[in-house]
Amino acid sequence: MNLYDKLIKLYPSLTDADFSPLGTITLQNDSDGKGDYIALWKHPSLKEPTQEELDAIN
Amino acid sequence: MPLILSGATSGSTTIQATDAVTQTITLPAQTGTVMVNGPTFSYYQSSAQTLSSSTTTKITFTSSEFDTTSGMFASSRFTPTVAGYYQFTAGFGVATTTCPAWVYFYKNGGSATGKLGNYITATSGISNIQSTALIYCNGSTDYIEVYGGVGTGQALGTGSSTTYFTGILVRGA
């Protein structure tokens, strides 16, 4: 499961608008083999999950 | 062919060649470097890259149509060694799924200095999202990459008319 899918599972209220360039969350992948990561999180009500919380989602 | 070099009271300099016809080049009263055969490149994606949903991803360009930069383009990154103002154009094709799509130019790796290029709702079939930007590069440490995203994860279209990154020096520093 990729990072986006984990976030949607954790926070089902998130929409495409949240992840758009003008949204509140930026997921990024630098194509360097290190995978997806949270580059920016400024959602007004949902807190950025910890790595442990993300790891627990299957 | 007589060659005449003359200065004007305005400070401009004129180079004039006279033979059967007269050819005149007037240089303005400014100090600068006349660019000849500046760097330019055109790269494209030849093997489809798959993007995760809603994840802004560095787009990879592994094949070139042409490259006169003498090694300034490597690992899908352009690091010019000539300072100046560069015009960049990039685009990618969304092949299968209707969804939002966007493309950025990133300067020096960070979204904080990146430029939002374009944001559309791509439709199924092949929609091409393209952006262009004029960006100053210092000729030593500055570098430019292309990042893009799609709302629904999918493979990008390939080929020089679909997923590409071009650049040209338009004015020296």
Side-chain angles (χ1 to χ4, degrees):
Chain A
M1 184 181 295
N2 63 34
L3 178 58
Y4 170 81
D5 291 333
K6 288 186 175 184
L7 290 173
I8 292 296
K9 191 168 184 177
L10 182 64
Y11 296 127
S13 61
L14 290 174
T15 67
D16 280 347
D18 289 306
F19 296 97
S20 77
L22 300 178
T24 59
I25 299 167
T26 299
L27 307 183
Q28 190 162 308
N29 186 316
D30 297 323
S31 295
D32 55 3
K34 297 179 181 177
D36 304 340
Y37 63 94
I38 298 172
L40 177 69
W41 188 285
K42 54 179 182 179
H43 195 282
S45 59
L46 302 176
K47 71 176 182 65
E48 180 176 350
T50 64
Q51 189 58 50
E52 289 72 23
E53 289 173 319
L54 292 171
D55 291 342
I57 301 170
N58 295 308
Chain B
M1 175 184 295
L3 186 63
I4 302 168
L5 179 63
S6 60
T9 55
S10 64
S12 65
T13 300
T14 299
I15 302 172
Q16 189 175 68
T18 59
D19 202 338
V21 295
T22 299
Q23 299 161 311
T24 303
I25 300 172
T26 300
L27 303 175
Q30 295 182 356
T31 299
T33 301
V34 177
M35 297 302 300
V36 177
N37 296 336
T40 183
F41 65 87
S42 177
Y43 277 81
Y44 63 96
Q45 187 170 107
S46 55
S47 179
Q49 179 181 10
T50 298
L51 306 188
S52 298
S53 298
S54 297
T55 301
T56 302
T57 301
K58 179 182 173 180
I59 308 299
T60 56
F61 304 93
T62 52
S63 300
S64 74
E65 283 192 302
F66 52 82
D67 183 347
T68 71
T69 69
S70 301
M72 299 178 196
F73 195 100
S75 300
S76 304
R77 171 186 295 184
F78 179 58
T79 310
T81 56
V82 178
Y85 300 86
Y86 288 81
Q87 185 75 47
F88 297 104
T89 303
F92 64 82
V94 178
T96 59
T97 308
T98 298
C99 66
W102 56 92
V103 61
Y104 293 94
F105 293 100
Y106 270 20
K107 182 177 180 181
N108 301 332
S111 57
T113 54
K115 289 175 178 286
L116 173 60
N118 201 351
Y119 176 65
I120 65 168
T121 297
T123 56
S124 60
I126 286 202
S127 282
N128 189 266
I129 177 171
Q130 177 180 295
S131 181
T132 186
L134 184 64
I135 303 174
Y136 173 78
C137 295
N138 64 11
S140 56
T141 58
D142 286 344
Y143 61 91
I144 304 296
E145 298 165 306
V146 176
Y147 277 70
V150 289
T152 302
Q154 60 191 287
L156 302 182
T158 59
S160 59
S161 63
T162 304
T163 298
Y164 51 84
F165 180 18
T166 70
I168 184 172
L169 175 66
V170 295
R171 187 188 190 284

